[in-house]
Amino acid sequence: MDKVRQIRLAKDAMDRDWADPELDLGAVAAHAGYSRYHFLRAFKEAYGETPGQYLTHRRIERAEEMLRAADLSVTEICHLVGFSSLGTFSARFKARTGLTPSEYRSKNVGRGAALVPGCYAMLWAGGFPTARSAEGTAISKKRPGPDAAYGDRQEPPDDRRAEP
């Protein structure tokens, strides 16, 4: 496999898994079959920025969309886009856009479509990851399905006195 294709596979993995807070240089470099530092140099040579910068830009772009369109708190958006620290998220957001997330929302809310209720946005985004699968990717724990409603069960009656 040629060098550019290997780097593209890793970039595609970042595009696909951008919200995973555990996505790090080692995991992305493994997609390309490179060591961490060799991948870092090759990615920067190919795309003009480091993998960390690219991933941060990707996450900030998604946060901008959510701040404009979803009725979620800044903290919820921070975690949904893959940041584990609100302070880091706010600092990176301000460095990229020139505004804090709250300022960005207040300047851009009302432009375009109405805000999507937070519960729908959380459902669309898959909620917060709560567990890790064997492969190390985030998975959400789901509640078991509801039990049958009263009177829906087809159990035989225990009282046999009424039978002839």
Side-chain angles (χ1 to χ4, degrees):
M1 192 178 318
D2 67 337
K3 178 181 170 179
V4 175
R5 184 164 184 224
Q6 288 175 302
I7 294 171
R8 167 109 359 161
L9 287 174
K11 184 175 179 273
D12 290 345
M14 285 192 286
D15 289 340
R16 182 183 59 247
D17 299 330
W18 55 267
D20 185 359
E22 298 298 317
L23 188 64
D24 63 357
L25 182 60
V28 177
H31 281 303
Y34 281 69
S35 71
R36 295 170 45 142
Y37 300 108
H38 183 68
F39 175 72
L40 180 71
R41 287 188 299 272
F43 190 94
K44 187 167 184 173
E45 181 182 322
Y47 294 106
E49 61 185 350
T50 67
Q53 291 168 335
Y54 176 78
L55 191 56
T56 297
H57 293 164
R58 201 80 166 115
R59 289 174 173 170
I60 297 299
E61 288 170 358
R62 296 294 186 250
E64 288 175 354
E65 292 172 19
M66 288 183 183
L67 286 166
R68 283 191 308 263
D71 189 20
L72 294 168
S73 71
V74 172
T75 303
E76 289 170 326
I77 292 172
C78 162
H79 292 290
L80 282 173
V81 299
F83 284 93
S84 54
S85 165
L86 182 60
T88 301
F89 169 67
S90 296
R92 300 273 164 83
F93 192 93
K94 186 169 184 171
R96 176 99 172 136
T97 64
L99 302 169
T100 66
S102 298
E103 292 170 342
Y104 183 88
R105 172 177 274 160
S106 65
K107 285 192 173 198
N108 290 291
V109 81
R111 294 184 182 176
L115 290 178
V116 175
C119 57
Y120 289 112
M122 290 292 290
L123 180 65
W124 172 80
F128 292 112
T130 57
R132 298 262 165 216
S133 70
E135 296 84 33
T137 57
I139 56 172
S140 296
K141 289 184 180 178
K142 295 190 178 184
R143 292 189 318 194
D147 289 335
Y150 179 75
D152 287 349
R153 292 189 178 160
Q154 299 296 328
E155 297 175 5
D158 288 334
D159 187 11
R160 299 190 187 264
R161 287 182 279 170
E163 292 180 10

